[in-house]
Amino acid sequence: MANTRRVEKFAALIRKEISQLLMSGIRDEKIQKTIVSITEVEVSNDLQYCKVFVSLLGEQTIKEEVLSALDASSGFVKGELARRLKMRRAPEIVFKLDKGMEKGSSVLNLLGKLKQ
């Protein structure tokens, strides 16, 4: 139980720090093409791996471009996390596209069609 709480707090810290990095720390033009929102952060129990789920606005080609730019910046993000959180070893960062928003809007569209 205590370990779960520690992992959740660590995930919240990572979410906050990566959000700040996305706003002001990462200067990649590809990432600035759209709005990037962090929807969820999952950290392994041993704190070695971290999945960062992001929601992206725009066309599919832009989403793919931004996601690949995020992947390319994962080393920089890892280093910045280690520095900001004063860690010897930061977790490996993997960015994943969160498709929950897309699924939600398609469900709402289907419900709208059923209503008609």
Side-chain angles (χ1 to χ4, degrees):
M1 174 107 172
N3 191 36
T4 304
R5 184 174 289 161
R6 183 178 81 150
V7 170
E8 288 173 359
K9 283 184 178 183
F10 188 60
L13 269 174
I14 288 176
R15 182 179 183 163
K16 176 185 168 198
E17 293 299 330
I18 292 177
S19 292
Q20 289 177 351
L21 280 170
L22 287 172
M23 285 189 293
S24 62
I26 301 174
R27 293 189 178 98
D28 190 332
E29 291 178 12
K30 293 177 186 172
I31 295 174
Q32 306 302 327
K33 284 185 176 182
T34 187
I35 297 173
V36 180
S37 299
I38 298 174
T39 57
E40 187 177 354
V41 174
E42 291 179 0
V43 179
S44 64
N45 286 334
D46 62 358
L47 307 178
Q48 298 297 310
Y49 301 96
C50 176
K51 290 181 189 174
V52 179
F53 292 90
V54 294
S55 175
L56 306 170
L57 294 178
E59 297 175 12
Q60 188 62 30
T61 55
I62 293 174
K63 288 180 182 180
E64 290 169 3
E65 198 173 303
V66 171
L67 194 58
S68 69
L70 286 170
D71 286 335
S73 71
S74 64
F76 171 76
V77 171
K78 179 182 176 179
E80 281 296 304
L81 282 177
R83 187 181 65 75
R84 290 177 179 211
L85 300 177
K86 297 180 173 88
M87 302 174 64
R88 276 190 235 152
R89 187 167 183 225
E92 294 295 323
I93 307 291
V94 177
F95 289 97
K96 300 276 187 177
L97 186 61
D98 186 354
K99 298 182 180 178
M101 297 287 279
E102 293 172 12
K103 290 179 185 176
S105 65
S106 67
V107 167
L108 288 175
N109 286 339
L110 287 173
L111 288 173
K113 288 178 183 177
L114 287 174
K115 190 175 181 180
Q116 291 174 354

